[in-house]
Amino acid sequence: MTARVHDRIRAVLWHQNRVRLLDQRRLPDTIDYLDLARCDEVAQAITDMVVRGAPAIGIAAAYGVVLAARTCAASDWRRAIEPDMERLAAARPTAVNLHWAIARMRAVIDRLNRDAARADSTMPDPAMSDLGHELLAEARRIHEEDIAANYRMGELGAALLDGNSVLTHCNTGSLATGGYGTALGVIRNGFHAGRIAKVYADETRPWLQGARLTAWELVQDGIPVTLLCDAAAASLLRQGDVGWVIVGADRVAANGDVANKIGTYNLAINARHHGVKFMVVAPTSTIDLATASGDDIDIEYRDAGEMLSSRALSEHGVAVWNPVFDITPAELIDALVTERGVLHRPDRAKLAALLRLRQKNGAITAPL
């Protein structure tokens, strides 16, 4: 596909039997890769936001399970690997892809356990056994499936665009996924197809993922971008130049409510007020039918030091409220774009039906 020319960046790699992560804390000033050989290092990197973005976190965690299997004791690997997986799962609580990826890796372990029990034998050294090979193969599948899903979502989402400018929030590109991106994948495809006049990006405080990461990604791929303060978004939308706000998601509840980077809810309200359409782009692995609504999503809170950049403020004992995510109600979402199809005005019934769909010959068989 010609649109894939705008696709040069990979934030998570399996390289020489290690997990290689592009350290996103140091971008855009320094491009630095960390090579991690232990599962606990991967878990800490997820917590410290070396890697961030729900799909990328899940992929990194899957590779982390591979490292856990390669370093645990051969004589008791079934029990030894579980604490490592639990530590990975606890690294970031809100992103459902993390738990989804670990569940897929655990399913591989359970299958090998059943096979070993039927054979009435013990597994050999995990580093030389089916365990290591099977887990690595599954981690690679998770990674490759994410990139393929992003290409598909890029096509589906770009088809909805109307030739006007778009506004995005946080970072939803190659840095946040296996590659290409969710919301930024739609923007990449739309720009290449001439369906976007201009790209605006919020700074996204307090970590400035929009300013440091999204702007950097788009410049790397030759896509012009205009940066604005989060608080300027309403004024931009009021001018009437923006046709769509396009964001990603860390979790989609069963009723269509979306957890995403703090500030997303503000944008959704402002978009509705100004008659601008609001698009969420997320793979089906982000949909959590076990979570009834956004009220049931565990919102992560981070250290006050991320906001207290001024020494004077910290010395005077200023309190801090620092949620990483907020909840955007389903009624504010015009389109939810997934790799299986587009849901217009998503709700509980449409999401449940979407996850029952099966692909036939690479195409969606039933529109929703």
Side-chain angles (χ1 to χ4, degrees), residues 215-284:
W216 179 80
E217 270 201 55
L218 292 175
V219 168
Q220 298 303 303
D221 278 349
I223 300 175
V225 57
T226 299
L227 190 67
L228 63 147
C229 295
D230 294 6
S235 294
L236 174 67
L237 297 180
R238 187 171 184 267
Q239 293 178 8
D241 182 42
V242 174
W244 283 87
V245 174
I246 309 176
V247 301
D250 284 78
R251 185 176 301 205
V252 180
N255 71 337
D257 291 349
V258 166
N260 194 50
K261 186 57 57 184
I262 191 73
T264 303
Y265 182 33
N266 304 37
L267 284 178
I269 292 172
N270 276 309
R272 182 58 54 90
H273 176 76
H274 293 100
V276 175
K277 294 194 174 173
F278 192 86
M279 182 192 301
V280 175
V281 188
T284 50

Side-chain angles (χ1 to χ4, degrees), residues 14-293:
W14 179 259
H15 180 71
Q16 295 182 349
N17 293 321
R18 298 186 177 209
V19 180
R20 171 166 284 188
L21 300 178
L22 176 58
D23 191 344
Q24 299 185 38
R25 302 167 302 178
R26 306 190 67 186
L27 289 172
D29 298 324
T30 303
I31 298 175
D32 184 27
Y33 286 88
L34 304 182
D35 289 319
L36 308 180
R38 300 197 316 271
C39 179
D40 63 317
E41 293 177 332
V42 176
Q44 193 62 49
I46 292 171
T47 299
D48 292 345
M49 295 182 71
V50 172
V51 58
R52 27 72 48 207
I57 288 170
I59 293 163
Y63 287 131
V65 175
V66 178
L67 293 179
R70 293 186 172 205
T71 56
C72 66
S75 60
D76 196 19
W77 65 264
R78 297 171 183 83
R79 186 166 59 182
I81 198 172
E82 189 59 33
D84 284 323
M85 291 194 292
E86 290 176 358
R87 179 169 183 181
L88 284 167
R92 296 288 301 273
T94 305
V96 71
N97 301 66
L98 174 61
H99 305 278
W100 172 86
I102 292 171
R104 280 187 57 167
M105 302 300 282
R106 184 176 280 114
V108 173
I109 294 170
D110 291 343
R111 174 170 56 80
L112 292 173
N113 271 337
R114 290 192 299 269
D115 292 347
R118 281 195 294 267
D120 193 27
S121 63
T122 58
M123 296 284 289
D125 182 352
M128 300 298 294
S129 73
D130 287 343
L131 174 65
H133 296 304
E134 293 284 340
L135 287 176
L136 180 56
E138 184 68 5
R140 283 176 166 155
R141 275 192 292 270
I142 291 171
H143 196 168
E144 291 163 3
E145 288 169 8
D146 181 71
I147 297 173
N150 292 340
Y151 288 142
R152 179 61 176 153
M153 289 186 289
E155 296 171 353
L156 293 171
L160 302 177
L161 302 179
D162 47 21
N164 290 321
S165 299
V166 299
L167 170 63
T168 192
H169 187 68
C170 195
N171 173 261
T172 57
S174 298
L175 294 173
T177 64
Y180 201 62
T182 55
L184 218 56
V186 170
I187 289 171
R188 284 184 161 104
N189 193 297
F191 176 81
H192 180 79
R195 302 182 67 89
I196 291 176
K198 195 171 186 178
V199 179
Y200 291 95
D202 277 344
E203 284 183 302
T204 319
R205 292 183 175 274
W207 267 73
L208 299 175
Q209 292 97 326
R212 294 188 304 106
L213 306 180
T214 294
W216 179 80
E217 270 201 55
L218 292 175
V219 168
Q220 298 303 303
D221 278 349
I223 300 175
V225 57
T226 299
L227 190 67
L228 63 147
C229 295
D230 294 6
S235 294
L236 174 67
L237 297 180
R238 187 171 184 267
Q239 293 178 8
D241 182 42
V242 174
W244 283 87
V245 174
I246 309 176
V247 301
D250 284 78
R251 185 176 301 205
V252 180
N255 71 337
D257 291 349
V258 166
N260 194 50
K261 186 57 57 184
I262 191 73
T264 303
Y265 182 33
N266 304 37
L267 284 178
I269 292 172
N270 276 309
R272 182 58 54 90
H273 176 76
H274 293 100
V276 175
K277 294 194 174 173
F278 192 86
M279 182 192 301
V280 175
V281 188
T284 50
S285 59
T286 305
I287 299 173
D288 182 11
L289 295 184
T291 299
S293 73

